[in-house]
Amino acid sequence: MRIPFKVIFSLLTVLVLAGSCTKKTVTRVSPDQQIDLSGRWNDVDSRLVAEEMAKDMINRPWRNDFMARNNKKPTIILGVISNKSHEHIDALTFIKDLERECINTGTIRVVQNAEFREKLRVERADQQQFASPETQKKWGRELGADYMVFGTINSIVDSEGKRKVVFYQINLELADLETNELVWIGDKKIKKYIVN
């Protein structure tokens, strides 16, 4: 039996229209809500690791030792935190989460990294030429950091068939900028079991 061309065309039109009418929904959710879609490193991992590691770092003896010697809060700078895991992880997001947690404790001070210090210096130089004298910010009054944080994000993957176990380990170190002494080493581990 031969199917008329008009029938075939009508069926194809219906199929195309049905496909184009597939409804996409977007729902606003709280940034704090935990949503795991793929099992990969996500915003919740970054935030939770930053919270725990900042808390651990701040509550170790080095901070009280520094305050006893200098009678002031220590100042830190977040240095390089390298992603050595199997995934693309934006280390900058983790660094910003860590900076926020450290600042919000109110027990230590945090200064900008080298890239943003340069931007601030450009702005300060601009002020010397264009801002009124009473509002110009002075040179040579930057806050020097006492300590620097370094770290790595690592991962190990074990998989078979549709099952996968991903193990993340985040290592951070805090070094005295004057003496190079390591005053704190911390790590945080996350293990995920994923079934596709």
Side-chain angles (χ1 to χ4, degrees), residues 70-88:
N70 301 285
N71 196 31
K72 65 176 185 177
K73 296 177 189 176
T75 301
I76 70 165
I77 182 170
L78 275 291
V80 176
I81 297 179
S82 304
N83 173 27
K84 296 186 176 180
S85 76
H86 69 289
E87 292 177 18
H88 169 72

Side-chain angles (χ1 to χ4, degrees), residues 91 106 141 190:
R141 301 184 69 174
I190 297 175

Side-chain angles (χ1 to χ4, degrees), residues 18-149:
S20 65
C21 291
T22 302
K23 194 173 181 183
K24 179 187 281 187
T25 60
V26 177
T27 307
R28 299 279 182 272
V29 297
S30 168
D32 297 331
Q33 185 175 344
Q34 182 172 332
I35 301 174
D36 288 303
L37 297 178
S38 64
R40 291 193 290 267
W41 175 274
N42 60 23
D43 63 310
V44 176
D45 298 318
S46 177
R47 180 169 47 82
L48 294 179
V49 171
E51 286 175 4
E52 289 191 28
M53 297 199 79
K55 186 177 178 183
D56 184 59
M57 178 174 67
I58 287 164
N59 290 321
R60 295 296 179 172
W62 69 271
R63 185 173 61 85
N64 287 334
D65 293 345
F66 178 89
M67 292 179 70
R69 285 196 311 271
N70 301 285
N71 196 31
K72 65 176 185 177
K73 296 177 189 176
T75 301
I76 70 165
I77 182 170
L78 275 291
V80 176
I81 297 179
S82 304
N83 173 27
K84 296 186 176 180
S85 76
H86 69 289
E87 292 177 18
H88 169 72
I89 295 176
D90 186 358
L92 185 60
T93 304
F94 177 64
I95 289 171
K96 287 298 169 190
D97 283 340
L98 198 57
E99 283 181 340
R100 186 194 63 241
E101 291 301 319
C102 290
I103 292 169
N104 288 346
T105 65
T107 57
I108 60 176
R109 305 173 80 176
V110 179
V111 293
Q112 282 286 11
N113 63 30
E115 179 186 351
F116 283 95
R117 278 201 308 275
E118 285 306 313
K119 294 179 189 296
L120 291 168
R121 287 168 186 159
V122 169
E123 171 60 24
R124 200 175 301 128
D126 189 73
Q127 285 189 7
Q128 308 312 307
Q129 188 172 1
F130 298 107
S132 60
E134 64 272 18
T135 61
Q136 288 175 359
K137 301 302 173 284
K138 295 182 174 57
W139 290 102
R141 301 184 69 174
E142 294 182 16
L143 189 62
D146 303 300
Y147 299 94
M148 193 169 204
V149 178

